[in-house]
Amino acid sequence: MMTSASDSVLSAPPVAKKVPVARTHHGETFTDHYEWLREKENPDVLAHLHAEQAYTDTVTAGQEKLRTDIFNEIKNRTQETDLSVPSRKDGWWYYSRMVEGSPYSIQCRVKADGDGSAVDDWTPPLVEPGVAVHGEVVLLDGNVEAKDQPFFSLGGAAVSRDGMLYAYSVDNAGDELFTIRIKDLRTGELLEEHIENTFYGLTFSPDGRTLYYMIADDSWRPFQVKTHVLGTPVTEDAVLYQEDDVAMWTGFDLSADRRHLAISIGCSEFSETLLLDFDAPEKGLQTLIPRSEHILYDAEPFLWEGQEKVLLTHNRDAVNSMISLVDAAEFIKPLTEQHWDTVVPHEDAVRINGATVTATHMVVSLRKDTIERIQVTALDGLGTPSQVAAVEPGFDEELYTTSMGGSEFESPVIRLIYTSDFTPSRVYDYALPQTHAGTHARTHAEGELLLRKETPVLGGYRAQDYVATREWAVAEDGTRVPLSVLRRADLARDGSNAGVVYGYGSYEVSIDPGFGVPRLSLLDRGVVFVIAHVRGGGEMGRHWYEDGKKLNKKNTFSDFVAATDWLAQSGWVDPARIGAMGGSAGGLLMGAVANLAPEKYAAIVAQVPFVDALTTILDPELPLSALEWEEWGNPITDPAVYQYMKDYTPYENVRAVAYPKIAAITSFNDTRVLYVEPAKWVQELRSVSTGKEPIVLKIEMDGGHGGASGRYEGWKTRAWDYAFLADAIGATELR
């Protein structure tokens, strides 16, 4: 068959022109030839990005059938017409449902029975997929909202306490800036007022007359909490709080008992909480512990036996955090004179993640032996010698994750979400053991786990067909690095299989056991899937995080290489058939290991990769840059940080070696990791690599940090990523 001129052009990768731009810091000058690709409105940039996508489409055209197969496998295992377990709030049951063929969820509610005082009142109504619900009120249909829009994402929603008003925020670009609209649930009509360019976070005042919301600055840093009084012009909205420190993140939430608005300002190393008492708003915002004390803490105010209390999760003399109970009046004293009662003491082997309260219990999220757990303790006697022992709901699996799925302050139950690598998500209500005098009469359900739903998996899925084990790699400095190794149970350990290593390793984020339908498509093709719990994450406590940040960041990369070496030597795989995958900060990890050990990988998929980290963090005007100083260090002011980052940042350390197949995946409107980072990286890789493997840039022109919107587009994206890896490591056929 004849080859057309256009086919010939597409067979070669796009070559961006070189426009040298010098960057000088601390006496060192770096010449960047591709910085001009940052000019988002430049027609030449747009033309180049379209050419990159055309080249990618050509190079990966042979993977189309595999992509389609994986997409269909995901689709056929998913019950498309489904719904969430209803959650009770202010006399209503709230839930979302999905309809087969529709990409977005529908938010609904129905009226609840009972006064909520008994466990039985918290038994969700039976809502069956595809069956009309009597009395159902549709709050928001995402499919209607998304019609004729290039992108749709719901940023948040809130219902007024009286149930009359519904506020929600929508992003139609993928840039994570939202428009707030307010719906009158009595009439179904939208109010005239709407608020543009807002950030995540919105809630009503108790009387439903005021809406609180967040605004981000030009660098996409949330810095203002604003108030909108319903019925007044948006131009008159007042600033309740403004944070001027460019290195601090701001957000807000309601206290568990909804008596306070809590504004949180912080970074990864210290924080500050301001409280607005809804019963006494004239007092204004009250600071608990000022940031100048350099304590990292979360605060939960509540009223207990007529006294204002604050439950503090903090790192004061406690690297893994602890929990204290403090009378609210103590905070007017100097810190050294305040009295704090210990509720949960510090332990080297236990990481305290946070705590909240119900009317009768404290609920604690913690991590022990890498596992996320939930414990509950009665408030009666809390912080005194009569404090009762914590109770932890028990589960049978060795590797699992338990997290809070929400709770209401007056509820006798808390909602828990349970999952493991091969157990689909289960929703439980845990009936709190009641011990405090004056609570409702004891029932048989107290202390029991009440299963509300297990996510169905179709297509003949059987958990016993798969195995998850905990293994350990040894890093170059002798540190033992935990691995989660996932495979089919019938896979032969004969050294012939393919493998994939996945990692993240930043911001104290833990990659916990969790079920994923798409991953089954790799496992069913004989892939051994390894999750490397590298330093910089939170799996092993606060020290694990600190040993993988700032001037210890290189440990993240060497840990991942050690995980790869473990897999190569495990007897499960052929060392020539290993791929790697990671996204965002995990994409920086991918870029770093590509430079460190390119020979160890047949392919690397870097999703929205933070590969030009030094350039980004050196410019505080760019989105989120100043906020990153607490994670990576400040290379602007610290020459040691500058040099350390210069030694590992992927874009600046591309070298003349044979790189494996690489796919860099990005979105044009991503505000977290700008498209220009992978675009520049791909150009530099191609210009320097001595190998012949293709290096491609896949760009979603209507997407954000998470790619295109809608569940079907999400499945297509995952199918593309997995097909690229599976093709490269020779794992294309189902076993």
Side-chain angles (χ1 to χ4, degrees), residues 506-572:
S506 292
Y507 306 106
E508 204 178 356
V509 171
S510 299
I511 308 300
D512 291 320
F515 184 77
V517 163
R519 191 169 56 208
L520 298 176
S521 292
L522 284 183
L523 300 179
D524 287 348
R525 287 171 170 80
V527 172
V528 178
F529 196 97
V530 175
I531 302 169
H533 303 289
V534 295
R535 281 175 282 186
E539 290 89 344
M540 300 282 283
R542 182 72 179 186
H543 283 304
W544 197 250
Y545 167 52
E546 292 176 344
D547 285 347
K549 66 181 292 193
K550 290 189 175 179
L551 297 181
N552 293 319
K553 189 64 203 170
K554 293 178 185 178
N555 288 333
T556 303
F557 316 139
S558 56
D559 284 1
F560 190 89
V561 173
T564 305
D565 290 340
W566 178 91
L567 179 60
Q569 299 161 13
S570 68
W572 285 109

Side-chain angles (χ1 to χ4, degrees), residues 55-72:
Y55 173 70
T56 298
D57 291 342
T58 299
V59 168
T60 63
Q63 299 164 20
E64 178 59 34
K65 181 181 182 302
L66 181 57
R67 288 196 291 266
T68 300
D69 288 346
I70 294 175
F71 173 85
N72 286 331

Side-chain angles (χ1 to χ4, degrees), residues 212-253:
Y212 298 91
Y213 63 94
M214 289 295 309
I215 293 291
D217 64 14
D218 292 339
S219 67
W220 201 74
R221 176 184 66 95
F223 81 121
Q224 284 184 340
V225 180
K226 298 190 76 172
T227 60
H228 174 70
V229 178
L230 270 62
T232 66
V234 173
T235 54
E236 296 179 3
D237 288 1
V239 175
L240 176 64
Y241 177 78
Q242 177 168 312
E243 177 54 53
D244 294 323
D245 186 336
V246 297
M248 301 294 275
W249 186 279
T250 305
F252 68 79
D253 205 348

